[in-house]
Amino acid sequence: MATLLGYRIYKKPLDALEVASHKIINTINPHSYCVAQQDNAFKEALKASDILLPDGIGIVWAERVLNRNKIVKIAGYDLFVHLMQQLNKTSGRCFFLGASSSTLQRIEEMAAIEYPKVSVGSYSPPYKPSFTEADSALMCAEVNAFKPDVLFVGMTAPKQEKWVHNNKERLQAATVCSIGAVFDFYAGTVKRPSQFWINLGLEWLPRLFKEPKRLFKRNFVSTPKFILEVLSYKIFKKGIL
């Protein structure tokens, strides 16, 4: 299978993805690619993914330029809805790990209405830059006590991907997905851009206007770097980052 800049990108339709045993699902976009070039632990976690979704129009573009493949962007939110629909059909179980207690409560309330056949559990871990071994042990224990079919992790990248990678052997969940901002989108604490912007491939633009300080580097530093990286591979067969 051809890789994209060293990563195995998922190329099938989202409908082909099912809840399966011991499957780690992550996403990649131009910004996370650039961050991973400077963070080996993050790069290792992304490369170890069983499924790595193209969550960014830049990844879709790069796949076409470098491998001549036409793929579709699959956002973390798309993955979330797809898996919840599957779980609702099978009366499955999911667990949300991350975010505040109030956000998790809102998620559980929403899920009870939209996916009434899904059993939902959650845990809000300590809000800190990194977790102690005791923190991680408790987090795993909370997940394993619930025995979810799907574990959704929302602790922002690259923290969430690295935590899952380091603890995957002791997590008792069939599928583990790091989906970050989806927790806030679904809870309604942060509004996701409308379908109009998503269809245009410009989902990032309204988010940039709402959170300019947080997203400036992602869009005006990482994106140009990623474009140059792709063009360098196209012309010189090697990267610059």
Side-chain angles (χ1 to χ4, degrees):
M1 179 188 296
T3 62
L4 176 66
L5 305 174
Y7 293 91
R8 294 178 293 109
I9 306 298
Y10 183 78
K11 299 177 178 65
K12 297 178 182 179
L14 181 58
D15 289 345
L17 198 158
E18 298 180 353
V19 175
S21 180
H22 303 299
K23 184 170 288 185
I24 305 298
I25 305 177
N26 287 315
T27 64
I28 188 170
N29 57 42
H31 179 62
S32 57
Y33 172 85
C34 292
V35 171
Q37 290 301 97
Q38 308 299 321
D39 185 336
N40 287 331
F42 185 31
K43 180 186 288 188
E44 181 181 337
L46 291 179
K47 288 192 172 185
S49 307
D50 295 302
I51 292 178
L52 189 58
L53 299 177
D55 183 10
I57 198 68
I59 300 296
V60 173
W61 168 76
E63 181 66 31
R64 192 161 192 173
V65 169
L66 296 179
N67 294 331
R68 299 182 180 180
N69 289 325
K70 187 176 182 180
I71 62 174
V72 177
K73 173 191 171 187
I74 301 176
Y77 196 89
D78 300 325
L79 171 67
F80 165 72
V81 171
H82 173 70
L83 292 178
M84 289 297 285
Q85 289 173 343
Q86 281 198 14
L87 292 174
N88 200 50
K89 292 177 182 177
T90 60
S91 298
R93 301 167 67 81
C94 74
F95 194 93
F96 293 86
L97 179 63
S100 66
S101 297
S102 59
T103 296
L104 292 174
Q105 181 179 352
R106 179 59 178 159
I107 288 173
E108 293 194 29
E109 292 170 350
M110 291 287 291
I113 296 171
E114 297 185 348
Y115 308 103
K117 294 182 179 180
V118 180
S119 298
V120 179
S122 65
Y123 178 69
S124 178
Y127 186 74
K128 56 175 68 173
S130 60
F131 298 116
T132 65
E133 171 56 30
D135 292 333
S136 293
L138 178 57
M139 291 157 68
C140 290
E142 291 285 341
V143 172
N144 295 344
F146 191 79
K147 294 182 173 58
D149 297 298
V150 177
L151 168 62
F152 294 113
V153 183
M155 300 184 291
T156 73
K159 181 181 178 181
Q160 59 191 8
E161 290 84 359
K162 291 193 285 188
W163 186 86
V164 169
H165 182 62
N166 291 334
N167 293 278
K168 61 184 179 181
E169 298 301 328
R170 52 181 177 173
L171 286 169
Q172 296 174 19
T175 299
V176 182
C177 313
S178 296
I179 56 174
V182 174
F183 280 42
D184 288 321
F185 289 155
Y186 190 61
T189 53
V190 175
K191 187 176 180 180
R192 191 186 185 200
S194 69
Q195 196 63 43
F196 171 79
W197 294 107
I198 295 171
N199 291 341
L200 288 177
L202 296 173
E203 183 177 355
W204 58 271
L205 188 57
R207 293 181 66 187
L208 175 63
F209 285 134
K210 289 182 179 180
E211 301 179 87
K213 289 184 178 180
R214 188 175 75 84
L215 298 178
F216 180 86
K217 183 177 180 180
R218 173 179 298 194
N219 291 288
F220 292 105
V221 178
S222 293
T223 297
K225 282 184 176 181
F226 181 78
I227 292 172
L228 290 175
E229 179 84 341
V230 172
L231 295 178
S232 178
Y233 267 96
K234 179 70 174 178
I235 298 169
F236 305 111
K237 311 301 181 185
K238 64 179 182 179
I240 59 174
L241 296 181

